[in-house]
């Protein structure tokens, strides 16, 4: 062997040069033809010799019923017995050498993109693929790659492309590209890189795109056992792999010999000389040795290079060559050594040492290449007929998830995919007579021919090329097609070795190459000698060495591994479900975190409040007790016990506030029970007419100390002590808890009212249903003073309670019995106005002399005023008393009789008649007829979880309950009555009128969003470039891409709603007439919620996509995501978790969901109020959100990034707006004055920056770095635009505002030494600043919500003082407050307005809501006094203002209704409200109700805090 090789090389290259004087042939086939540069190159089209035969003439392949079922046709044509030898004694080596030759010039394995399928439907009951007879087995078959510019019209039908070079240029050895070739080399001595031992190529490491399909017999995959070769499919089976390895060895052997003979040559010199010689040898063997042996026909002599010859491969050749060789493939191959000894084959499973073909596809097991080549060289192939062995016809390696498929059926489908002409068309093209008679097709297989004819309806014109060529006797059509193609390849190849003009070889070298056979190659690369091989290794003749034992048949060999079906999603269901659950739980996790933070913030806030309270806590004297027990499932609290001298035990909390008083006056014997176990820590003090006192001590010594002091105290007060002991559990059961006492009193009140009002006893709670003990306790129950006060909703030490209790307690025992309470109720429920006034007279006739002195009258008045937090001084009360005496004509008297007292109330007889006794809780019904109350049956219902007493309110159901003061009665006109339908129409019209700008903006924004969704959905469904992704995941891609466009638009343009400075400027322009800038925050929330919905849709769409992609084969994924996946034949897609956590879109998508869950949860109203700092921090994550969104889309997994299209403009506008705010935030503002006002209000007056222009009603954002945080909080300015300074009134309702109040407290300022500075951002506009644009404006402020109106009223005062022209003709200011003391600073502003308002421009109405019900006894008397004070002194009894003061909540509907009457000429009234949501909703409902009428229209603008 070595002698021959050395001699051969020496002769062939006698004058080799260091340089390379010839034109080196390109690896990719380009520029072989200098006129048509791309001919034969990688990616070039096949050359159609005949018109394409497609169903539509363009690209749609013929399918059933136009052509027979591929599997059925395969069974009919290709089935038959194996074991018939080749007619020409062609060896198996020639057959697989032929497949190697095809791999050098033909690459049709690459699937087309987008993926298209011509699936093979398996007939029901197929013994191989459908043994169960289900009839639903479908073998996938994917169409191959085509030129995308073709297949658009009948003039340009689809043309497939060749993925390797179309020249016999050794691309199967060196690769179809320069980079591929470089990857195969080791760049040392011109060698190709080899594995251990140097006899085989190295295993692939991913640098070379080798095909790595799964072994269908074992299921093995991966790179092990896959060698780096010039052809990606070179490892398809062990026999083709052996051919590739033989040529690999031949190159390295030539290179090593050249290196020995020419040591000065470089690696490139050696490699190119060896490559040139290998390619030439390969060309010579193919054309002049292999092809004649295969076809049995000699090849005409070479006449020279023909430049105009088109050597491109034809689709007819592609099919003919593959099928012709397939009919000759045996079921296996022998292995032998040079001495003709057969080699054992591992796992052969049969009596012969044969490598079974069906179990060698993509095998990772290594076989001895030398033995396999020698065995194939002496083994005769199958006969050249239509029969294909079952290893191909039934057990060819399968596509996608099927491990097996039908080779013949697949190539039948491939022929239809290629658009092959019919059999007769092809015969005519190659000079053969067309078939007219079926019987002449194959005289030796008439039955088979007739079966095929039946499939084609006996129409020879319909017979396809492949089955027709297979059925031919000796395959003349196939042989003609193959010979024509190879001759064209030779003659049209400029680099053909026989072309002397290309400068590759001399004539002598050409002769040497022509004399080199494949026998010489095998002798050079194996351990056999030439004598051990026949002269032509492609044909075996009698007398040649090493004859085969016998012709192989499938029955003698091991069985083929049956088909299996892969489940790509196997084992992934649980994990995928868990990920979905986790994603769904992200909001819950965020909610839990927010809840924890809220708890911590509330705890810190309570600590802050406790610290604040601790600063004013006084020293508490008394016995400190570890805890008072209130009942099961309740916490104990630290208490102090004071033993008072008047037989009273006071229970105080840590701040010294009295929690309860235990009176011992009515007891002669005091019962105390001590616990006798668990450390002897409990003590029970029985209180017969109240709930018991249960105390727990830290240890027994403390209890003993307290008990000793209690004994001494009782002895001093002459009280008998009865002591007993029992176990702690029994002691607790014996104790009457506060809850048990509440239930007893509940029964007390229920039956009290049932007896009073004749209520159904079952509704009241029938006593029979209760135990006798409970009934007795209820009927004998007596109310203490504290319980009586609680029932009235007052403090136990109030004068009213003292007077009423003294009147009701007839026996003077300090308690009110059932009967005593009933007597009082009779007067209030059924008494006349005289009886009620007499009752009040007796209540305050303290000395019971029948006269009411001025002092007693003053006491009565002050007891009424107690419920308004004693807002009147004694002097004011005396002034009211004197004025009331004077108006009634009693100015000369010092005391009044009952008649005088009743006369004094003469003007308010109706109110007095409707007076009740108000008891907290639910209502008891009564009716009035003819002005007299008349009881009727009414149901009492029990409200679970009420206060300690059954709180009931009984009142009269009369029109007086709806009584409100009609403020404006000057103008009256007839109202236009409308029916219900007209009212609804009017309401709808007014709604449109009020919210027309909002509706237009929402509709426009929604239309744009919908349009974007529809456009993207339509694009991917029908109009997108055909990538196949829509066919793969139709629903998922439409939802995900449509929602992605909406998200991009919404998340971009939501920035505009955050441009506060821009909004403030634009709302002063004409655009405010078309865009509701005041609703920017609401629009921001609306966009955010809509974006959240689309984000969920986007996620749902991608969940569908991930599932589908996880079960989609790699061949399809490589089409969909060509930049991510490369189809290497493994077919196994990435698992679901790869999409979630190993891709940039997946990871950023998960992070975005986490981010959104955090931002949205912390932005909810509750958590925003509880922890504004958490909201502030999490909402500033929007920067990260936009970064992730940009990264999320930049990966261009499905489409090119589009987010920037929507984002750039809003981002630039928002950036400019933010820069403006940042420029202001950097400036520190000096605080000039800080004042702590009542009700937790902090008044800050600070420096006004230069060029700070604002309007009344606008707001700013401030930050205080002294608090250790940079968060900004919004507050409305209470200063007026004309003032030199700015002022804010900030109520301490949360941690930040509370800490701010503490910071500016006198104590903190004393430590700091100066007023901490602020950072200011603003001003920003809102709807309240438009108050002056209406002829009539109504300002409604609740609580701290009056701050914008403080600025407006100040501004109004100033403009009035300078006679500024105002469009507004009348302003009504409604101030709703719990007490007028709550915001006394506003009263000063109102007083200034009253003084400056000479034209009565402003009308102020104050509603104090802390007072009791309108017709409660106390409120009635208070109402009488207020009206009297207003009448006499023209100012309010409570506020000292001329403004009208009302008790209770404002009646917005009657109030607004009266405005329509007072201002009939006004068509539009502006209503501006600011306060708690409940109040603004009430105002909104009132406006909506009145807008149903065809009168003045109420335009409502509101802000909540």
């Amino acid at each position: 062997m070595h002698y021959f090789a050395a001699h051969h090389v020496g002769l062939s290259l006698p004058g080799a040069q260091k340089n390379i004087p010839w034109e080196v042939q390109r690896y990719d086939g380009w520029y072989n033809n200098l006129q048509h540069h791309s001919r034969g190159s990688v990616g070039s089209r096949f050359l159609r010799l005949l018109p394409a035969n497609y169903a539509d003439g363009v690209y749609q392949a013929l399918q059933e019923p136009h052509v027979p079922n591929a599997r059925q046709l395969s069974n009919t044509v290709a089935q038959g017995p194996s074991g018939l030898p080749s007619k020409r004694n062609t060896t198996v080596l020639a057959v697989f050498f032929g497949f190697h030759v095809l791999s050098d010039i033909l690459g049709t394995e690459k699937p087309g993109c987008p993926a298209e399928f011509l699936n093979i439907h398996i007939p029901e009951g197929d013994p191989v693929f459908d043994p169960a007879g289900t009839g639903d087995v479908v073998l996938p078959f994917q169409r191959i790659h085509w030129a995308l510019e073709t297949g658009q019209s009948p003039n340009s039908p689809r043309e497939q492309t060749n993925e390797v070079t179309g020249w016999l240029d050794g691309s199967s050895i060196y690769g179809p590209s320069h980079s591929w070739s470089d990857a195969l080399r080791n760049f040392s001595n011109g060698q190709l890189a080899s594995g251990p031992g140097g006899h085989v190529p190295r295993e692939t490491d991913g640098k070379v795109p080798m095909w790595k399909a799964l072994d269908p017999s074992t299921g093995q995959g991966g790179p092990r056992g896959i060698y780096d070769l010039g052809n990606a499919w070179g490892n398809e089976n062990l026999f083709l792999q052996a051919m590739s390895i033989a040529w690999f060895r031949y190159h390295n052997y030539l290179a090593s010999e050249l290196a020995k003979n020419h040591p000065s040559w470089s690696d490139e010199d050696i490699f190119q000389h060896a490559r040139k010689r290998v390619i030439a040898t390969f060309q010579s063997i193919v054309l002049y040795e292999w092809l004649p042996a295969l076809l049995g026909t000699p090849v005409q002599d070479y006449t020279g290079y023909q430049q105009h010859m088109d050597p491109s491969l034809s689709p007819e050749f592609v099919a003919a060559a593959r099928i012709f060789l397939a009919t000759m493939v045996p079921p296996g191959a022998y292995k032998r050594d040079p001495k003709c000894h057969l080699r054992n084959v591992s796992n052969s499973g049969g009596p012969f040492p044969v490598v079974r073909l069906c179990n060698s596809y993509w095998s990772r097991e290594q076989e001895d290449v030398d033995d396999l080549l020698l065995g194939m060289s002496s083994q005769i192939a199958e006969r050249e007929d239509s029969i294909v062995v079952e290893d191909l016809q039934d057990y060819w390696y399968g596509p996608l998830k099927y491990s097996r498929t039908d080779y013949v059926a697949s190539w039948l489908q491939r022929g239809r995919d290629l658009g092959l002409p019919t059999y007769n068309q092809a015969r005519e093209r190659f000079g053969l007579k067309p078939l007219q008679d079926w019987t002449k097709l194959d005289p030796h297989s008439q039955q088979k021919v007739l079966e095929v004819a039946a499939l084609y309806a006996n129409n020879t014109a319909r017979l396809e090329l492949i089955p027709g060529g297979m059925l031919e006797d000796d395959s003349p059509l196939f042989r003609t097609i193959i010979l024509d193609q190879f001759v064209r390849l030779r003659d049209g190849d400029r680099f053909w070795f026989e072309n002397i003009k290309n400068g590759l070889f001399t004539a002598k070298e050409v002769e040497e190459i022509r004399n080199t056979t494949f026998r010489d190659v095998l002798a050079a690369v194996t351990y056999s000698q030439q004598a051990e091989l026949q002269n032509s290794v492609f044909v075996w003749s009698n007398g040649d060495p090493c004859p085969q034992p016998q012709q192989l048949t499938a029955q003698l060999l091991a069985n083929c591994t049956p088909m299996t079906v892969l489940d790509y999603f196997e084992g992934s269901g649980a994990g995928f479900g868990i990920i979905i659950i986790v994603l769904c739980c992200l909001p819950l996790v965020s909610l839990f975190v927010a809840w924890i933070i809220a708890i911590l913030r509330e705890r810190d806030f309570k600590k802050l409040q406790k610290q604040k309270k601790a600063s004013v806590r006084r020293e508490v004297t008394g016995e400190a007790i570890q805890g008072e027990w209130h009942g099961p499932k309740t916490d104990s609290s630290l208490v102090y016990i004071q033993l008072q001298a008047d037989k009273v035990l006071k229970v105080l909390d840590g701040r010294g506030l009295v929690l309860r008083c235990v009176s011992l006056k009515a007891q002669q014997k005091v019962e105390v029970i001590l616990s006798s176990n668990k450390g002897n820590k409990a003590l029970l003090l029985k209180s017969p007419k109240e709930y018991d006192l249960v105390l727990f001590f830290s240890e027994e010594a403390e209890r003993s100390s307290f008990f000793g002091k209690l004994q001494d105290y009782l002895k001093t007060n002459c009280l008998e002590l009865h002591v007993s002991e029992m176990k702690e559990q029994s002691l607790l059961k014996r104790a009457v808890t506060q809850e048990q006492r509440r239930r007893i009193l509940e029964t007390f009140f229920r039956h009290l009212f049932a007896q009073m009002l004749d209520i159904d006893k079952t509704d009241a709670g029938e006593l029979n249903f209760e135990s006798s003990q409970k009934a007795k306790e209820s009927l004998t129950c007596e109310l203490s003073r504290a319980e009586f006060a609680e029932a009235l909703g007052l403090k136990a030490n109030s004068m009213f309670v003292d007077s009423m209790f003294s009147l009701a307690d007839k026996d003077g025992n300090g308690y009110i019995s059932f009967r005593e309470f009933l007597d009082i109720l009779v007067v209030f429920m059924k008494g006349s106005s005289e009886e009620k006034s007499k009752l009040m007279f007796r209540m305050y006739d303290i000395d019971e002399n029948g006269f009411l002195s001025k002092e007693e009258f003053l006491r009565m008045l002050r007891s009424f005023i107690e419920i308004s937090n004693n807002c009147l001084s004694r002097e004011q009360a005396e002034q009211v008393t004197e004025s009331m005496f004077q108006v009634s004509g009693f100015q000369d008297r010092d005391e009044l009789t009952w008649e005088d007292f009743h006369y004094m109330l003469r003007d308010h007889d109706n109110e007095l008649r409707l007076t009740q006794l108000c008891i907290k809780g639910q209502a008891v019904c009564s009716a009035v007829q003819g002005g007299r109350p008349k009881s009727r049956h009414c149901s009492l219902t029990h409200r679970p979880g009420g206060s300690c007493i059954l709180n009931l309110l009984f009142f009269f159901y009369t029109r007086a309950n709806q009584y409100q003061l009609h403020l404006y009665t000057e103008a009256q006109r007839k109202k236009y009555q409308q029916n219900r339908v007209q009212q609804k129409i009017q309401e709808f019209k007014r709604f449109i009128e009020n919210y027309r700008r909002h509706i237009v903006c929402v509709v426009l924004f929604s239309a744009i969003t919908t349009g974007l969704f529809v456009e993207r959905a339509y694009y991917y469904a029908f109009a997108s470039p055909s990538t196949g992704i829509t066919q793969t995941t139709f629903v998922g891609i439409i939802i995900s891409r449509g929602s992605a466009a909406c998200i991009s638009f919404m998340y971009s343009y939501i920035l505009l709603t955050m441009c506060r400075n821009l909004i403030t400027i634009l709302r002063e322009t004409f655009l405010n007439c078309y865009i509701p800038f005041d609703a920017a925050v609401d629009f921001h929330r609306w966009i955010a919620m809509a974006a959240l919905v689309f984000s969920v849709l986007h996620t749902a769409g991608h969940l569908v996509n991930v599932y589908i992609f996880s079960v989609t084969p790699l061949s399809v994924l490589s089409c969909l995501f060509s930049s991510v996946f490369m189809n290497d034949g493994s077919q196994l897609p990435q698992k679901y978790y790869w999409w979630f956590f190993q891709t940039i879109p997946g990871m950023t998508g998960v992070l975005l969901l986490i981010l959104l869950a955090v931002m949205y949860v912390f932005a909810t109203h509750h958590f925003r109020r509880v922890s504004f700092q958490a909201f502030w921090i999490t909402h500033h994550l929007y920067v990260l959100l936009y970064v992730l969104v940009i990264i999320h889309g930049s990966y261009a997994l499905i489409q090119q990034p589009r987010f920037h299209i929507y984002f750039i403009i809003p981002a630039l506008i928002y950036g400019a707006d933010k820069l403006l705010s940042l420029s202001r935030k950097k400036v520190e503002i000096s605080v000039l004055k800080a004042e702590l006002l009542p009700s937790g209000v902090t008044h800050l007056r600070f420096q006004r920056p230069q060029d700070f222009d604002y309007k009344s009603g606008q707001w700013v954002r401030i930050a205080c770095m002294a608090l250790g945080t940079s968060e900004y909080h919004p507050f409305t300015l209470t200063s007026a635009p004309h003032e030199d300074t700015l002022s804010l009134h900030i109520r301490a309702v949360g941690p930040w505002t509370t800490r701010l109040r503490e910071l500016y407290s006198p104590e903190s300022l004393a430590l700091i030494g100066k007023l901490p500075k602020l950072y200011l951002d603003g001003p920003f506009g809102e709807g309240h600043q438009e108050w002056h644009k209406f002829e009539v404006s109504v300002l409604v402020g609740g609580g701290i919500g009056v701050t914008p109106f403080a600025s407006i009223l100040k501004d109004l005062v100033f403009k009035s003082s300078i006679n500024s022209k105002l469009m507004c003709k009348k302003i009504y200011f409604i101030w709703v407050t719990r007490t007028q003391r709550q915001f006394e600073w506003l009263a000063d502003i109102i007083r200034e307005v009253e003084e400056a308002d000479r034209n009565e421009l402003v009308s102020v109405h104050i509603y104090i809501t802390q007072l009791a019900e309108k017709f409660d006894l106390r409120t009635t008397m208070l109402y009488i006094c207020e009206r009297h004070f207003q009448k006499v002194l023209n100012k309010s009894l409570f506020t000292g203002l001329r403004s009208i003061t009302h008790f209770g909540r404002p009646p917005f509907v009657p109030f607004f209704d009266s405005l329509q009457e007072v201002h009939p000429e006004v068509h539009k009234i502006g209503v501006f409200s600011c306060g708690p949501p409940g109040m603004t909703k009430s105002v909104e409902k009132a406006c909506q109700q009145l807008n149903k009428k065809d009168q003045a229209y109420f335009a409502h603008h509101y802000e909540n805090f």
Side-chain angles (χ1 to χ4, degrees), residues 1334-1336 1366-1371 1400-1401:
F1334 296 88
E1335 289 187 62
V1336 176
L1366 293 173
M1367 178 182 175
C1368 192
K1369 306 302 182 185
K1370 188 69 176 180
I1371 290 181
E1400 297 185 356
L1401 180 66

Side-chain angles (χ1 to χ4, degrees), residues 53-336:
N53 183 24
Y54 285 119
D56 62 348
V58 182
Y59 76 95
Q60 292 182 357
L62 290 167
Q63 290 294 281
E64 297 181 77
H66 303 291
V67 289
N69 176 276
R71 173 62 178 174
Q72 185 180 4
L73 185 59
S74 169
N75 288 334
T76 304
V77 174
Q79 273 189 350
S82 61
L84 299 176
S86 169
K87 295 177 183 179
R88 288 179 285 275
N89 278 356
T90 306
T91 63
V92 175
L93 187 69
V95 174
F96 286 103
F97 183 89
F99 281 110
H100 178 75
V101 172
L102 292 183
S103 71
D104 191 79
I105 61 174
L106 186 62
T108 60
E109 295 83 5
K110 181 180 179 180
C113 294
E116 294 181 3
F117 289 87
L118 301 176
N119 295 332
I120 303 171
H121 295 267
I122 301 301
E124 183 177 352
D126 187 286
V128 177
F129 296 106
D130 189 22
T134 61
D136 56 1
V137 177
V138 177
L139 298 179
F141 180 83
Q142 195 167 351
R143 302 184 72 173
I144 60 172
H145 191 266
W146 66 90
L148 296 178
E149 63 272 16
T150 64
Q152 305 297 324
S153 70
N155 294 329
S156 177
R158 176 174 292 186
E159 294 184 10
Q160 288 72 25
T161 58
N162 190 2
E163 300 309 314
V164 298
T165 64
W167 310 103
L168 285 169
D169 58 356
S171 62
S172 60
I173 306 169
Y174 301 105
S177 67
H178 200 297
S179 59
W180 193 314
S181 176
D182 288 346
L184 296 177
R185 295 171 59 179
N186 64 3
F187 294 97
S188 175
N189 295 322
Q191 299 271 327
L192 293 174
S194 59
H199 299 295
V200 294
R202 64 187 174 196
E203 287 189 352
T204 186
D205 56 0
K207 295 179 180 179
V208 178
M210 299 303 298
W211 201 259
K212 297 183 280 291
L214 301 178
D215 183 344
S217 61
T218 63
Q220 290 181 337
R224 189 184 71 84
I226 302 296
Y227 299 123
D228 278 341
L229 303 171
N231 182 262
W233 289 62
N235 298 283
E236 181 184 30
N237 55 66
L238 294 175
F239 318 110
L240 183 61
Q241 186 185 69
M243 287 295 169
S244 300
I245 293 175
W247 288 105
F248 158 81
R249 290 179 178 178
Y250 190 61
H251 170 90
N252 281 354
Y253 191 77
L254 289 179
S256 63
E257 294 301 321
L258 287 170
K260 289 179 183 177
N261 295 333
H262 306 280
S264 62
W265 282 8
S266 67
D267 168 75
E268 186 66 20
D269 291 337
I270 297 172
F271 179 81
Q272 292 300 341
H273 279 81
R275 173 174 176 249
K276 180 181 71 169
R277 188 57 181 261
V278 168
I279 293 174
T281 304
F282 181 68
Q283 291 174 340
S284 175
I285 292 173
V286 170
L287 259 292
Y288 302 118
E289 181 182 6
W290 169 77
L291 193 60
L294 181 72
L295 302 180
T297 304
V299 179
Q300 61 265 38
D301 292 337
Y302 182 68
T303 59
Y305 171 58
Q306 300 179 30
Q307 183 178 0
H308 301 290
M309 172 72 72
D310 190 349
S312 301
L313 303 182
S314 67
E316 294 80 5
F317 167 77
V318 172
R322 288 282 185 183
I323 292 297
F324 183 72
L325 290 173
T327 61
M328 302 173 66
V329 173
Y334 291 106
K335 291 176 59 179
R336 71 171 178 87

Side-chain angles (χ1 to χ4, degrees), residues 693-708:
L693 179 65
V694 180
L695 302 175
F696 274 90
F697 298 85
S698 58
E699 57 186 13
E700 185 180 5
E702 289 186 6
R703 189 185 72 172
S704 300
S705 175
F706 174 78
F707 182 66

Side-chain angles (χ1 to χ4, degrees), residues 747-767:
T747 307
F748 174 91
F749 280 106
R750 187 187 300 136
H751 291 287
L752 180 70
F753 295 138
Q755 183 171 342
M756 177 66 201
L757 300 174
D758 297 331
I759 295 176
D760 191 346
K761 291 185 177 180
T762 57
D763 290 332
E766 187 62 55
L767 291 178

